[in-house]
Amino acid sequence: ISMKVSPLHDRVLLRRKTEEERTAGGLYIPDTAKEKATQAIVVAVGKGRVLDDGSIAAPKVKAGDTVLFGKYAGTEIKLDGEEHLIMREEDLIAVIDS
């Protein structure tokens, strides 16, 4: 079953970038020794944060952006057999220009 998820308010849906399989010296890293990536691609973005006066602050990121986030930030979910994260936009650390 295919699911479509639309983040609410100031939340973003992210797909982690895959980590390198090898070290700089050419050694393979086993799955048990790998750390989870702190870089991800933005898949979907909510409408924005609701301000005190009722207006909406537009999100600063858009689908397709590559971002950095904290190691333990967000909530992990599985969509179509692939792991994704949902987190608030304020939990993002930076946008990476490529």
Side-chain angles (χ1 to χ4, degrees):
I1 297 173
S2 179
M3 256 194 298
K4 181 173 172 147
V5 174
S6 298
L8 298 175
H9 306 294
D10 64 335
R11 289 179 178 83
V12 293
L13 178 65
L14 306 172
R15 184 180 67 246
R16 286 186 200 264
K17 290 184 89 173
T18 54
E19 285 293 308
E20 290 292 321
E21 298 287 324
R22 299 169 129 199
T23 64
L27 299 174
Y28 284 96
I29 304 170
D31 287 338
T32 55
K34 288 183 190 175
E35 289 191 22
K36 290 190 175 184
T38 56
Q39 285 188 25
I41 309 261
V42 177
V43 176
V45 180
K47 301 273 188 227
R49 184 169 48 102
V50 179
L51 302 174
D52 292 337
D53 64 0
S55 62
I56 295 177
K60 305 256 189 273
V61 296
K62 62 187 179 311
D65 284 350
T66 301
V67 296
L68 289 176
F69 58 92
K71 192 180 240 184
Y72 301 106
T75 302
E76 292 185 354
I77 62 170
K78 210 165 220 184
L79 297 173
D80 299 331
E82 204 174 333
E83 286 196 17
H84 288 72
L85 287 167
I86 292 182
M87 68 180 66
R88 291 190 176 275
E89 185 182 28
E90 66 189 24
D91 292 338
L92 299 177
I93 298 170
V95 176
I96 301 173
D97 292 327
S98 45

